Structure formats: C-alpha cells, structure tokens
Amino acid sequence: VYGGTVIDSILATNGATYGGGASHADLINCVVTGNGAIWRGGGALFCNLRGCLVSGNVIGFYSGPADGSGLDACNSVENCTIVGNRSQSGVGRAVVGTSSTLMNCIVYNNEVGNYDSSVTMSHCCTYPAVEEGEGNITNAPQFADAPNGDFHLSASSPCINAGTNQPWMSNAVDLDGNMRIAGAAVDMGAYEFGGEPGPGPGSGTGGATLSYSDLIQPSSVRYVWADGCLAQDSPNDPWIRKVYYGPDNQQGHFVMVF
C-alpha cells in the first residue's frame, strides 16, 4: 500500500525495497504480517498506525545495513501490538526512527531488538526498559497463545488497564471489533481484554470503510513500483506490485495490494 487510509484490512506477503507492507499511509485496525523489505520498514515505513497488529515481517535480505523490521519512521503509533518481526541479516531493530512516537503499544519478542533509543514511548510494554516516557513497563505481556499467533491478552496480562485514554477512543473498537475501553483505562496493544462487541467494522475510526464491492469490482488495475510510481503494464519484475484502485479511481484514496 502506498498512500491513503486503509481500515480493517490485512496487508500480507508483500515485498519492496522500502516499506514492505505499507508506505506513507494511515493504517487503522489492520493486520500487517509476513511482509518484507530490503532496507527499511519490513512492515511499514512513514506511516501512522492505530489499533494494528504488526507481526512476522522481515528486513534485510542482503548483508548491508537495514533497520525497522516492523516499523521505520512511523510518526504516530497507538494501541498496536508489534511482535515477532525479524532481521534476515541479523541486524536491525523492530521499531526505529527519530520521528516515531508510540503510545499504548506492545513491542515484544522481536528478533535482534525491540526498538532503538531514538523512539519515543509512553504507556508501552517493551524490553529493555525505556529511559524516558511515562507509564512504560517491561513485564512480559502474557499473550493468550503467542506460539500459535494468538496475541490477545490473557486474564493475567499486565497490559490490561495499563494504557492511557485518548479522546479518539470514544465509541472506537479494537482489532476484533470490540469496544476499545472495557475497564478504567484502555489496554495496551491492539486487543482489548473483555471488551463488548462494537456496532461493526470501522466504527469509531473516523474514516471510510472499504465495502466488499470495492474489493471485487475495482475500476482500474495498474502496476506500480514500491515507491508508488507507475510502471509498465507488465508484472514481470518482482518489485512491481499490482494495485487495485477504488471506485473514484483516485490514487491514495484506498488501495488494495495483492
């Protein structure tokens, strides 16, 4: 995905030089998994994320320097779970970038390292301890079944009621579509423990929701390079991606990448 706002979607098994899953986009209640980048941002680069699961992404397919197996230079990251991202080259942390600000996030069990010192965090669960920022904890998040990819919080998780409430959370839902604040305070991560079912996908996000017809009846198909520039109408190059544009046919409105 390059540009625009993506809501309630799965961005999986994409590849690029930079920003394997998404670049220059706003991601709300999305799963970003199994993507890869050669240099920066295996999961996402230059994005804003809210309520997302970022897991199993890869950075550094060559031996040169690479960083941000999960996220790189993502300005605002709220209530996200960032786990199990790795570096193919053996260097590079999961979350990097001097502009990256994380709140109410879980950043744990990523290969090589969870974050670098340039990242700003508050009310996050990560390790090692963050030198600055309020409300951060290092306790293991105690997921329901992490080995099998279940990153919901267990009943004993220290992340329950450990976040800080924000105005956007009123009537917002988590990644499961459950109401965002179930207790006195919001939980850390993408999933709210014990939340009541919300009114439907996309509720409380403040943006548009992709309809099923938008996905199966695109108005046009184009091939683009990973940086969003139009390429020839040929998919032979492995770094050219097939992009479906929505009914308004405007680049950056909402984009599905297959």
Side-chain angles (χ1 to χ4, degrees), residues 130-157:
V130 180
E131 294 183 2
E132 299 181 2
E134 297 181 354
N136 296 308
I137 61 175
T138 59
N139 311 65
Q142 298 185 30
F143 294 122
D145 189 6
N148 290 308
D150 185 351
F151 299 108
H152 292 79
L153 302 178
S154 65
S156 58
S157 172

Side-chain angles (χ1 to χ4, degrees), residues 16-160:
T17 305
Y18 303 96
S23 179
H24 298 83
D26 295 327
L27 309 181
I28 302 173
N29 289 5
C30 292
V31 176
V32 183
T33 184
N35 303 286
I38 295 176
W39 299 119
R40 298 179 61 186
L45 174 71
F46 299 133
C47 291
N48 298 306
L49 297 89
R50 178 179 292 173
C52 295
L53 171 63
V54 182
S55 68
N57 300 286
V58 184
I59 193 72
F61 293 101
Y62 297 121
S63 59
D67 226 344
S69 59
L71 306 175
D72 188 351
C74 291
N75 292 332
S76 176
V77 184
E78 298 180 278
N79 283 97
C80 291
T81 299
I82 305 165
V83 293
N85 301 285
R86 61 189 181 88
S87 172
Q88 188 78 6
S89 62
V91 296
R93 287 65 50 94
V95 181
V96 300
T98 56
S99 62
S100 298
T101 300
L102 279 66
M103 177 183 293
N104 298 334
C105 291
I106 299 173
V107 187
Y108 229 87
N109 293 337
N110 297 282
E111 290 188 11
V112 182
N114 289 314
Y115 66 94
D116 73 2
S117 58
S118 66
V119 176
T120 301
M121 293 190 189
S122 65
H123 300 276
C124 290
C125 175
T126 192
Y127 184 86
V130 180
E131 294 183 2
E132 299 181 2
E134 297 181 354
N136 296 308
I137 61 175
T138 59
N139 311 65
Q142 298 185 30
F143 294 122
D145 189 6
N148 290 308
D150 185 351
F151 299 108
H152 292 79
L153 302 178
S154 65
S156 58
S157 172
C159 299
I160 297 174

Side-chain angles (χ1 to χ4, degrees), residues 2-6 208 210 214 245-255:
Y2 184 87
T5 299
V6 183
L210 293 177
D214 292 336
Y245 287 76
D248 63 2
N249 202 32
Q250 295 297 311
Q251 182 174 359
H253 178 69
F254 46 79
V255 181

